Amino acid sequence: MSALPPLLEAFFTERLIAQRRVSGHTVSAYRDAWCLLLGFAQQRLGKAPEQLDLEDLDAPLIASFLDHLETDRGVGVRTRNARLTAIRSFFRFAAYRCPEHSGSIQRVLAIPQKKHRKALVTYLTEDEMAALLASPDRTSQLGRRDRVLLLVALETGLRVSELIGLTCGSLELGDGGHVRCQGKGRKERITPLRRETRSVVRAWINECDGATADPLFPGPRGEALSRDAVRRLVERHVTQTAKCCPSLATKKVTAHTLRHSCAMNLLRHGVDIATIALWLGHEDIRTTYSVYLHADLALKEQALARTAPPHTPAGRYRPPDTLLAFLSAL
């Protein structure tokens, strides 16, 4: 057996799981990246994955693999960069275990991330949020569940993984009511809830007769909703709401759009950007600055209104010479 298989196994079991204690989502993403890379190397080199050596995965092969992802598999630049992140993480680990391959490892680590177009975030206005919350049918239990999920998502800005991970015991519905969740990097945070929201959530938990460990948003069999289920839920209600709120038809609304809408709603009501960063669980406040301040045109218009207009006289340029006037008119 070559040196690559035990090294790759040690990377997942020792580095990612035991030492860094990354989430299951990270392990899955890194696993998928390496399955794709090993399959590509097998086709390119004619070797089975268990026969590959570390020196087989050199910089030219990795670069060809990244090009293959974009041209043949049709992935976007973000996905290409995510796959490269998984590969780099392994090669940084390999640099400590296999210093004799340091030259080829450094060439792989030198492969740059590709820049991509950063579009402004899509978010809902207050009228659109109100229309979306009115969409679920409150006469059915499924509709009441959907309304509670949309309400909690729009008010707290939780990520989808945080939403579906909520249990009935994650919420404090008395005085100082809040929701407690574990976000990215295993960071725990609490987010306050309005009194009206606490009443709606309390009624939902009583209706379900949920125990502390039961999921707050159960599926048909009582298990927590999946990411795909939440995606379909949001798409269904957005499509229905667009019939009476035409502006929604012009926007691509996903479950993550609800998180953006919460942040932009806080920003429009004067909440400072540092508080919004804490609210959303951003580790670096620069993330909040770059995403949300750029998207709010109203804030830019307010800033423009505070400035004095330049004293520029109106009118068109007229050349002082008749020859120049003739040439300008040609």
Side-chain angles (χ1 to χ4, degrees):
M1 180 181 290
S2 66
L4 180 62
L7 188 62
L8 192 57
E9 290 178 11
F11 169 68
F12 278 94
T13 58
E14 296 178 21
R15 172 58 63 88
L16 294 184
I17 298 175
Q19 297 176 3
R20 295 184 56 193
R21 296 185 62 198
V22 301
S23 68
H25 297 299
T26 302
V27 172
S28 298
Y30 281 29
R31 175 204 63 201
D32 293 344
W34 273 95
C35 286
L36 289 171
L37 175 59
L38 294 176
F40 177 81
Q42 182 178 14
Q43 292 181 350
R44 182 62 63 90
L45 303 176
K47 289 185 177 181
E50 63 182 12
Q51 297 174 341
L52 291 171
D53 208 337
L54 188 61
E55 61 187 11
D56 292 324
L57 304 180
D58 55 10
L61 180 79
I62 302 298
S64 298
F65 167 68
L66 297 174
D67 292 338
H68 159 74
L69 291 178
E70 292 189 81
T71 57
D72 298 336
R73 296 184 63 87
V75 305
V77 176
R78 291 177 183 271
T79 303
R80 179 257 190 203
N81 289 343
R83 303 302 191 199
L84 179 57
T85 297
I87 295 170
R88 280 178 170 178
S89 182
F90 166 77
F91 274 91
R92 282 193 291 268
F93 173 74
Y96 292 99
R97 292 294 188 94
C98 304
E100 66 275 14
H101 295 287
S102 60
S104 60
I105 290 174
Q106 291 305 315
R107 284 189 288 273
V108 171
L109 294 177
I111 298 175
Q113 297 272 348
K114 182 176 286 189
K115 292 185 178 180
H116 55 85
R117 176 176 173 269
K118 297 181 180 179
L120 294 176
V121 297
T122 300
Y123 62 93
L124 306 182
T125 65
E126 291 188 26
D127 291 339
E128 291 168 343
M129 288 191 288
L132 183 61
L133 289 174
S135 170
D137 180 13
R138 302 188 199 180
T139 62
S140 69
Q141 187 178 49
L142 185 64
R144 290 190 291 273
R145 182 207 65 186
D146 292 357
R147 181 172 179 269
V148 174
L149 186 148
L150 294 173
L151 180 61
V152 171
L154 286 169
E155 185 165 318
T156 62
L158 296 182
R159 300 177 179 91
V160 176
S161 60
E162 296 165 350
L163 271 176
I164 61 180
L166 292 179
T167 64
C168 295
S170 301
L171 294 97
E172 172 58 52
L173 301 176
D175 293 335
H178 59 267
V179 57
R180 182 184 300 272
C181 73
Q182 188 176 79
K184 272 188 174 182
R186 303 183 186 274
K187 297 189 295 291
E188 191 176 54
R189 74 178 190 277
I190 56 175
T191 308
L193 296 172
R194 292 190 181 93
R195 182 177 57 185
E196 297 81 6
T197 304
R198 297 201 302 268
S199 300
V200 173
V201 175
R202 186 184 298 110
W204 167 247
I205 294 177
N206 292 337
E207 178 181 349
C208 296
D209 194 21
T212 301
D214 290 342
L216 181 62
F217 305 116
R221 299 179 181 177
E223 74 285 359
L225 291 176
S226 65
R227 286 174 171 268
D228 285 340
V230 175
R231 175 183 57 79
R232 292 191 298 268
L233 181 155
V234 172
E235 289 177 351
R236 181 173 67 252
H237 290 296
V238 168
T239 301
Q240 183 175 343
T241 307
K243 298 176 183 177
C244 60
C245 185
S247 60
L248 275 179
T250 64
K251 298 180 177 181
K252 183 179 179 181
V253 180
T254 65
H256 206 70
T257 306
L258 307 182
R259 176 173 167 85
H260 293 324
S261 302
C262 170
M264 294 302 295
N265 191 40
L266 292 172
L267 189 62
R268 287 195 303 267
H269 286 83
V271 179
D272 66 274
I273 203 72
T275 302
I276 296 176
L278 291 172
W279 193 287
L280 298 179
H282 286 166
E283 187 169 348
D284 192 339
I285 193 174
R286 290 175 295 182
T287 302
T288 320
Y289 270 112
S290 62
V291 172
Y292 298 111
L293 282 181
H294 285 295
D296 196 341
L297 181 61
L299 285 180
K300 298 174 183 177
E301 291 174 341
Q302 292 173 12
L304 181 63
R306 295 191 186 103
T307 62
H311 298 290
T312 304
R316 299 181 61 183
Y317 168 74
R318 298 185 182 278
D321 187 87
T322 54
L323 180 58
L324 291 177
F326 166 76
L327 295 174
S328 300
L330 291 177

